[in-house]
Amino acid sequence: MHTPSVASPPRPPEHRAAARFAGVLALCSALLVVLVAVGWYPLMTLDDSIAVTTHRWAVDEDGVTQTFRILTDWVWDPWTMRIVAAVAVVWLVWRHHARWTAVWLVATCALGTLLQQSLKAAVGRERPVWSDPVDSAHYAAYPSGHALTATVVCGLLLWLLHRYGAGRALWRTAVTVAVVSVAGVGLTRVWLGVHWASDVVGGWLLGALLVALAVTVHQRWRP
């Protein structure tokens, strides 16, 4: 008579999907880092073309530029995103007594900050330079910390809302806000001339990779 295996149960579909998605994102992220680091000519040319065009628009459209500065410096600033994550930590502990998940959220956000700063130092890409700048930023360009942080925080919070059964209205509102925030912060960084387009794409890819890895860890090792 056949005896059923007592090995660990198969991974749930969501677990496998997150792991596969993380693999694809890791490959794309690594490829883009290499292309930026070696200064691949087609990518540099595309970045330069986009930067020149958007900078011309930024100089001509002063009202839009000032609005984008407010959005990028206050609404979608990395510190604003971290404050939102801190509120979520309080919600997890106070409402759901989910201390392990709260620590997981803090650790993932901290890892995102460490990753972006490490890559900035390693790649050392210079930011765009203009004779008539409309904004300024410090440190190296790649990847965009604004884009990475927004992607990590919005992605994790969306997953948590889904996991804790958010209502349809709340879920749709959260998705809309997240998409607008992640896409919008990338647009503002390029428009204001402080990042190349590939810096933003790199931030999005790395942020999404962290979210996918964090979800995989949570699903596999949460007590």
Side-chain angles (χ1 to χ4, degrees):
M1 179 177 178
H2 176 70
T3 302
S5 173
V6 293
S8 56
R11 297 179 179 180
E14 288 185 2
H15 190 159
R16 294 194 299 269
R20 286 195 297 267
F21 189 48
V24 173
L25 289 170
L27 179 62
C28 294
S29 299
L31 177 61
L32 185 56
V33 169
V34 171
L35 294 179
V36 169
V38 302
W40 190 51
Y41 181 76
L43 179 61
M44 301 300 105
T45 302
L46 178 60
D47 272 344
D48 186 66
S49 177
I50 293 173
V52 169
T53 300
T54 53
H55 181 68
R56 184 172 65 249
W57 293 343
V59 171
D60 292 341
E61 302 293 338
D62 184 64
V64 175
T65 299
Q66 293 304 318
T67 300
F68 280 4
R69 289 186 68 178
I70 293 172
L71 288 172
T72 199
D73 290 340
W74 295 99
V75 180
W76 296 323
D77 181 76
W79 280 107
T80 303
M81 291 292 156
R82 292 173 188 133
I83 291 172
V84 172
V87 172
V89 167
V90 174
W91 171 73
L92 285 167
V93 174
W94 176 67
R95 184 71 181 271
H96 297 282
H97 306 288
R99 292 179 177 81
W100 191 92
T101 300
V103 172
W104 164 87
L105 178 58
V106 171
T108 305
C109 292
L111 181 59
T113 300
L114 177 62
L115 175 63
Q116 59 152 306
Q117 295 299 331
S118 299
L119 277 175
K120 283 179 182 291
V123 177
R125 189 183 197 185
E126 294 186 0
R127 294 179 185 268
V129 177
W130 310 104
S131 59
D132 52 347
V134 298
D135 203 353
S136 63
H138 305 290
Y139 310 112
Y142 189 91
S144 167
H146 281 67
L148 190 153
T149 304
T151 303
V152 169
V153 172
C154 291
L156 293 178
L157 295 188
L158 282 179
W159 185 77
L160 288 171
L161 285 174
H162 174 71
R163 184 172 183 273
Y164 285 99
R168 181 176 298 179
L170 176 59
W171 173 251
R172 289 179 176 176
T173 301
V175 169
T176 300
V177 171
V179 170
V180 170
S181 297
V182 172
V185 74
L187 172 62
T188 62
R189 303 310 284 168
V190 176
W191 180 280
L192 295 172
V194 294
H195 273 295
W196 307 102
S198 57
D199 299 338
V200 170
V201 175
W204 286 337
L205 286 173
L206 290 166
L209 172 60
L210 276 178
V211 171
L213 290 174
V215 169
T216 301
V217 168
H218 193 282
Q219 291 175 332
R220 185 167 185 176
W221 284 297
R222 181 179 66 87

